[in-house]
Amino acid sequence: MQNEVVLLHGWGMNKQVWQLIEAELAVELNRPVRALNLPGFGGESLPETQYDLDSVIDSIDKLIQPNSIVIGWSLGGLVATKLAAKRPEKVSSLVLVSSNVQFCDSGIWPGIKPDVLAQFKVQLAKDSRKTIERFLAIQAMGSEHAKADIKQIKALLLQAPEPSDIALNAGLDILQNADLRHEFSNITCPITGIFGRLDALVPIQVVDELSKLNGDFSYKILPKASHAPFISHRQEFITYLKSVL
């Protein structure tokens, strides 16, 4: 049996965002493809312990078969990276989509400015739905068809229950605080990245830094894509995945 491909979504999202490419990927890659909800998103239950990266790994671990190809978008990429480091037997190949090993700009590592994430935290307490909509707008910023992309993602998200406030808050904490540079440098399976040059959340300088950390890292930059290349540039995304997997 072919290794299964597991798709992990980003912050504020759910597994429905992969609908546009899930079936096509299964055909093109000739292997089973399955999208998962992270805990507290899309109606999935919360971890039984405190919500952090480790409890997320424990929650999804039982849903993932050994030797899976794990594709993580944005926050899902952090989860996938931690999974590959903590449960190497589960991940035969790691694919990061518009993701980072440390999302918060530290001055020596490129990322989102700390005040932007702090602002999201404040807004989230006031109005979670509005905050997610604003996050969607930032994700599509720079894309040739930003409005269409946002509309499409919104429509897909609405097919599942809204995320839990606990998961949204904890997810932002993870984006603010996680630093997986050490884990990333020690991952031994092949690692591939797909990035959008116009991404406002993951600066394109990240690819050089990731290459320095791990010699097994290869990547593709889509020149006209933003934070959701699998939606805005679906065909290029699938073609590249097919070439590396």
Side-chain angles (χ1 to χ4, degrees):
M1 188 183 155
Q2 292 274 40
N3 302 30
E4 186 174 51
V5 176
V6 174
L7 304 169
L8 301 176
H9 62 81
W11 183 85
M13 309 291 121
N14 58 55
K15 70 178 185 181
Q16 304 299 336
V17 295
W18 295 108
Q19 252 188 53
L20 296 171
I21 65 163
E22 206 172 336
E24 198 175 343
L25 262 188
V27 172
E28 291 291 336
L29 300 178
N30 189 29
R31 55 180 85 234
V33 175
R34 191 162 49 102
L36 298 179
N37 280 319
L38 296 178
F41 294 95
E44 197 63 44
S45 58
L46 290 161
E48 288 169 19
T49 56
Q50 180 188 345
Y51 197 120
D52 57 20
L53 214 38
D54 286 309
S55 65
V56 170
I57 300 307
D58 293 340
S59 297
I60 65 167
D61 181 49
K62 53 186 175 289
L63 304 172
I64 297 175
Q65 296 170 7
N67 297 316
S68 291
I69 294 164
V70 182
I71 301 177
W73 172 43
S74 198
L75 171 63
L78 267 180
V79 174
T81 300
K82 184 79 174 180
L83 180 74
K86 205 175 169 185
R87 308 266 204 279
E89 74 285 355
K90 288 289 175 100
V91 186
S92 65
S93 190
L94 173 64
V95 182
L96 302 179
V97 182
S98 306
S99 194
N100 203 340
V101 290
Q102 182 183 326
F103 269 84
C104 200
D105 189 313
S106 64
I108 56 167
W109 188 268
I112 309 168
K113 295 290 174 242
D115 56 334
V116 173
L117 284 170
Q119 230 178 343
F120 269 114
K121 209 83 199 282
V122 173
Q123 288 168 341
L124 191 63
K126 295 177 188 167
D127 188 337
S128 58
R129 190 176 287 182
K130 216 172 185 174
T131 307
I132 291 171
E133 285 187 9
R134 185 167 166 253
F135 196 64
L136 282 178
I138 292 176
Q139 287 185 33
M141 224 192 276
S143 167
E144 296 166 285
H145 17 76
K147 277 186 179 168
D149 293 351
I150 294 168
K151 201 175 171 186
Q152 210 163 23
I153 297 173
K154 257 192 201 171
L156 292 169
L157 290 182
L158 290 171
Q159 294 174 18
E162 288 188 4
S164 115
D165 285 345
I166 292 171
L168 287 171
N169 263 304
L172 277 185
D173 283 340
I174 291 168
L175 290 175
Q176 271 181 313
N177 303 316
D179 177 359
L180 299 183
R181 287 176 296 172
H182 175 70
E183 285 89 338
F184 184 83
S185 65
N186 288 313
I187 290 171
T188 53
C189 71
I191 314 170
T192 305
I194 306 178
F195 299 86
R197 191 177 60 82
L198 307 174
D199 194 337
L201 295 169
V202 179
I204 214 58
Q205 307 91 283
V206 162
V207 295
D208 291 332
E209 299 302 326
L210 291 173
S211 300
K212 290 174 198 168
L213 284 183
N214 194 311
D216 287 323
F217 176 66
S218 60
Y219 62 87
K220 169 117 177 146
I221 297 171
L222 300 181
K224 293 185 175 177
S226 182
H227 193 63
F230 61 96
I231 289 176
S232 63
H233 294 75
R234 194 179 89 204
Q235 219 38 66
E236 286 172 75
F237 181 87
I238 291 170
T239 302
Y240 179 64
L241 271 189
K242 196 177 174 185
S243 74
V244 291
L245 299 176

